[in-house]
Amino acid sequence: MPRFLNRITGEISYRLTLLLQRVLEDGEVPVEWREANVVPIFKNGNRGEASNYRPVSLTSQISKVLESIIRDEIVSFFERYGVIKETQHGFRKGKSCLTNLLVFLDRITRCIDEGGSMDVGFLNLAKAFDKIPHKRLIEKLRKHGIGGKLKCVIESWL
């Protein structure tokens, strides 16, 4: 959370809680929270080529608070009911691309040490989240038990 919000947490926490509860009760994210300032962030290479930049959407910090709460609750729900498998590393606490690679390397090393062989295929899922059809995502959430006002909040965000 930005420094300013951290400094005034005590003064705004009660009203912020009421605001976030209202959004969840209404099932609708305020329009202002859905608006973003898109800025180019340099990746690498020639700074004169547009393809060397990636767009980043800067959105309301307060909406990010609610987004974080929702994400944590959904992940907890999915973990509790076995929707997310132990092999899933992305977007999980204590897990990352690095832990995924370490588990993979351990498995390969163990296989080779035991005299076995293994075929490996790599997929590049760059921008995968930019290409997920929103209706399909909402349907998957519904099938996994996310419905009601929470589903409406997520839909309005998308």
Side-chain angles (χ1 to χ4, degrees):
M1 192 183 294
R3 281 184 226 149
F4 176 70
L5 285 178
N6 272 334
R7 276 190 247 135
I8 63 169
T9 299
E11 291 82 10
I12 67 167
S13 60
Y14 175 72
R15 291 189 187 272
L16 181 58
T17 300
L18 293 176
L19 175 63
L20 298 180
Q21 285 176 337
R22 177 73 184 264
V23 169
L24 291 170
E25 288 168 5
D26 290 349
E28 179 85 21
V29 175
V31 173
E32 295 81 8
W33 291 10
R34 292 182 257 154
E35 294 174 352
N37 292 321
V38 180
V39 296
I41 301 294
F42 179 68
K43 295 186 294 186
N44 56 23
N46 180 350
R47 289 188 178 270
E49 292 184 35
S51 63
N52 291 331
Y53 291 82
R54 66 182 175 90
V56 173
S57 299
L58 303 176
T59 57
S60 161
Q61 290 300 308
I62 293 181
S63 72
K64 289 179 188 282
V65 171
L66 181 60
E67 183 180 338
S68 177
I69 292 167
I70 290 172
R71 181 202 61 231
D72 290 350
E73 289 301 315
I74 289 175
V75 168
S76 175
F77 175 81
F78 284 172
E79 286 174 340
R80 189 169 44 252
Y81 292 101
V83 175
I84 297 179
K85 304 297 181 215
E86 203 47 45
T87 54
Q88 170 69 37
H89 285 254
F91 306 102
R92 309 254 330 262
K93 285 185 179 155
K95 294 191 176 191
S96 65
C97 290
L98 178 60
T99 60
N100 190 17
L101 287 171
L102 290 172
V103 168
F104 173 73
L105 181 61
D106 182 57
R107 187 170 177 194
I108 295 270
T109 304
R110 202 171 334 115
C111 181
I112 291 170
D113 287 348
E114 294 169 358
S117 64
M118 185 178 289
D119 293 327
V120 177
F122 289 95
L123 300 174
N124 181 357
L125 300 176
K127 298 185 180 182
F129 293 104
D130 296 342
K131 299 179 184 197
I132 294 174
H134 294 167
K135 288 184 186 214
R136 186 177 304 160
L137 175 61
I138 293 298
E139 184 59 23
K140 287 225 178 239
L141 288 172
R142 190 191 62 72
K143 285 182 179 178
H144 290 298
I146 306 297
K149 296 290 185 175
L150 180 56
K151 182 180 84 61
C152 292
V153 167
I154 295 169
E155 274 183 300
S156 78
W157 229 312
L158 296 174

